[in-house]
Amino acid sequence: MVLPKCRYISVVFFAFVVLLINNGVEAFHKVYPHLQSVSTISVSGQHRTAYHFQPPKNWINDPNGPMYYKGIYHLFYQYNPKGSVWGNIVWAHSVSKDLINWRSLEHALYPSKPFDKFGCWSGSATIVPGKGPVILYTGVVDDKQTQVQCYAIPEDLNDPLLQKWVKPDKFNPILVANKGVNGSAFRDPTTAWLSKDGHWKILVGSRKNLTGIAYLYRSKDFMNWVQAKHPIHSKGATGMWECPDFYPVLLRGNAGLETSEEGNHVKYVFKNSLDITRFDYYTVGTYFKDKDRYVPDNTSEDGWGGLRYDYGNFYASKSFFDPSKNRRILWGWANESDTKEDDVRKGWAGIQAIPRTVWLDSTGRQLVQWPVEELNNLRGKEVNMNSQKLQMGDYVEVKGITAAQADVEVTFSFASLDKAETYDPKWVNAQDLCALKGSKLQGGVGPFGLLTLASQNFEEFTPVFFRIFKGPDKHVVLLCSDARSSSLKSSMYKPSFAGFVDVDLATKRKLSLRSLIDHSVVESFGEGGKTNILSRVYPQLAVANQAQLFVFNNGTEPISVENLKAWSMNPADIK
Ligand code: DQQ
């Protein structure tokens, strides 16, 4: 879809304003020099998560270099060891046998060399046959934030925990910005893939003015890298492309593929994290290997209006292939939505979303994501609801579980779509539409869904719900995760996050929803993981055993809760 002219102009204008506010320096993370090293004295537990990954204290952001090595999952992440706002960035390192329970190790990378003196920023891991894991990361060399790409290798390949990492002087930094490449917007190398022509290839995110760019580099020995004549992909008016990710997916089936796999059974996914919007966008397309160019399919809009991994708070994500279960797994960072002052008071900021298995939908138009199956091992007490009718205005409580720390799977059905409201083609922005038509506004088919983290008298609640419209050719399905009433506290970001769901209701009159509720996060998967939304929320009343969970319907068409299963979740063991 091409952006209408007025929208294009406003996008460019907005992008300029953003860049100007940042004095032309990249927007990446807001810098609060006075708070960067304010050490954490105490950690507030009220909104800490029980089963989403977070370290005991301080700031975290992007997941880095996830991999599976000798029976162990490794997660590295951007971390401020000195405080709970962004700054003093190192690669923290945690290990796990099941992606859910984690043990932290010493920091893997921290500024120690001239080429990373001002920060060890994001990057990826590649398991190089015959060599073992190699980390590629961005080193910041000066206070002007000049960026170069560096590598690190394990000190002991026999240690499955990979506890010590070294940054050899030979070949480091492996990449500096060539003439014509913006050296302060040159970062986040991808996992490498090995082409049939014997070259390793990686991408590095960048921008030239407002054009987002992913440069491609080739190497025969993984150490000497040469920039390809043209980028693998670029797009005007999208700004800096942070944390690009590029990987093959099976055309049919949900198994994952190793990053170097190629052939006719494969499509490609190209993801970038748009610094201007702070959302992760992807396209599905074709990789022309002889030319080293990626072209999105015409069913995948490229840019601001395109597909997102998640229509909520989910950024700087990174995927990896897990050979032990033949799947591709996606990690993403969920930032806080409260204020910096709150974060300093809390003594922590940032969580990782639950790792998600990712594969290509049978339509070929989009990805599907689902929480890794290991999460189910935390499920405790279970309650069920079957064939529960919901008339307009009905709220039925799901009792008997810990509603602030739960996993809920539900299928809703409806007999007819006749009452669906008419869709106005002007409603292209799902989040605005969700704000316009909240969970309490009576509809035709919907709003219906889950009311999570609700306080006793509904002073606070976070609804996750569907609303169905009659479009010109087919029905339009909206999924909302609306944080506007999530907290009585006013000074924070409470967005009405929403996305459209690509589903054909002509053949089935059902929609499914799964929500992972974990104190300050509601992470939802619509229609089996086609449209996903993570919201960060900070209830003041709907906390611990004061929180309640409901199913509800505010549409005139009766809704049936065909089947609901909800579990109290046990805490993960994260040390
Ligand atoms: N975070 C890192 C950068 C990356 C950004 C710095 C994305 O490498 O571009 O902490 O959140």
Side-chain angles (χ1 to χ4, degrees), residues 28-29 61-62 78 86 89 121-122 187-188 242-243 278 315-316 333:
F28 35 80
H29 300 282
N61 56 290
D62 321 352
Q78 299 274 283
W86 184 85
I89 291 296
W121 287 7
S122 287
R187 57 182 179 271
D188 310 337
E242 297 189 314
C243 303
R278 309 299 282 177
Y315 191 66
W333 161 51

Side-chain angles (χ1 to χ4, degrees), residues 508-539:
K508 66 169 199 163
R509 301 266 190 271
K510 283 183 193 180
L511 285 168
S512 73
L513 178 64
R514 179 174 183 187
S515 287
L516 305 173
I517 306 159
D518 193 3
H519 302 277
S520 62
V521 54
V522 180
E523 184 175 359
S524 301
F525 300 82
E527 198 47 17
K530 285 184 139 195
T531 299
N532 311 308
I533 311 179
L534 190 155
S535 294
R536 297 301 311 278
V537 291
Y538 307 87

Side-chain angles (χ1 to χ4, degrees), residues 101-310:
N101 301 293
W102 294 90
R103 193 179 126 198
S104 71
L105 302 176
E106 267 174 40
H107 302 329
L109 307 177
Y110 45 87
S112 64
K113 297 273 185 181
F115 49 79
D116 64 11
K117 206 170 155 202
F118 287 77
C120 296
W121 287 7
S122 287
S124 311
T126 307
I127 308 218
V128 181
K131 276 200 168 93
V134 180
I135 284 176
L136 299 179
Y137 70 101
T138 298
V140 182
V141 299
D142 57 24
D143 58 3
K144 289 189 214 73
Q145 301 199 323
T146 304
Q147 295 147 37
V148 298
Q149 315 315 319
C150 317
Y151 80 101
I153 49 175
E155 191 178 85
D156 176 9
L157 282 175
N158 292 320
D159 171 16
L161 300 180
L162 301 171
Q163 290 170 89
K164 291 250 182 282
W165 289 81
V166 286
K167 307 163 186 170
D169 287 326
K170 193 168 178 196
F171 295 117
N172 255 325
I174 53 156
L175 279 181
V176 296
N178 286 333
K179 205 165 159 266
V181 172
N182 179 347
S184 67
F186 179 57
R187 57 182 179 271
D188 310 337
T190 61
T191 296
W193 68 97
L194 182 60
S195 278
K196 290 252 157 64
D197 64 9
H199 282 96
W200 285 100
K201 295 178 185 173
I202 55 166
L203 306 181
V204 179
S206 187
R207 73 170 173 90
K208 199 174 248 177
N209 301 318
L210 276 181
T211 298
I213 300 177
Y215 291 112
L216 186 139
Y217 293 82
R218 299 190 186 100
S219 172
K220 283 226 153 164
D221 58 2
F222 219 89
M223 295 296 138
N224 295 285
W225 294 86
V226 175
Q227 187 182 341
K229 271 204 197 84
H230 51 73
I232 190 164
H233 191 46
S234 64
K235 177 83 185 168
T238 53
M240 174 69 195
W241 284 2
E242 297 189 314
C243 303
D245 198 9
F246 184 58
Y247 53 89
V249 282
L250 260 183
L251 253 178
R252 262 168 280 281
N254 55 9
L257 296 176
E258 208 283 319
T259 311
S260 300
E261 179 121 1
E262 42 183 87
N264 292 335
H265 56 303
V266 160
K267 292 286 300 181
Y268 283 81
V269 174
F270 182 88
K271 182 279 294 190
N272 52 46
S273 304
L274 288 194
D275 193 19
I276 292 173
T277 62
R278 309 299 282 177
F279 295 130
D280 279 13
Y281 298 80
Y282 73 90
T283 52
V284 178
T286 307
Y287 172 34
F288 295 96
K289 288 177 200 70
D290 47 335
K291 299 193 182 73
D292 269 331
R293 281 218 195 257
Y294 168 77
V295 179
D297 289 350
N298 55 17
T299 46
S300 265
E301 182 179 339
D302 199 10
W304 296 56
L307 292 166
R308 277 163 50 184
Y309 277 158
D310 190 294

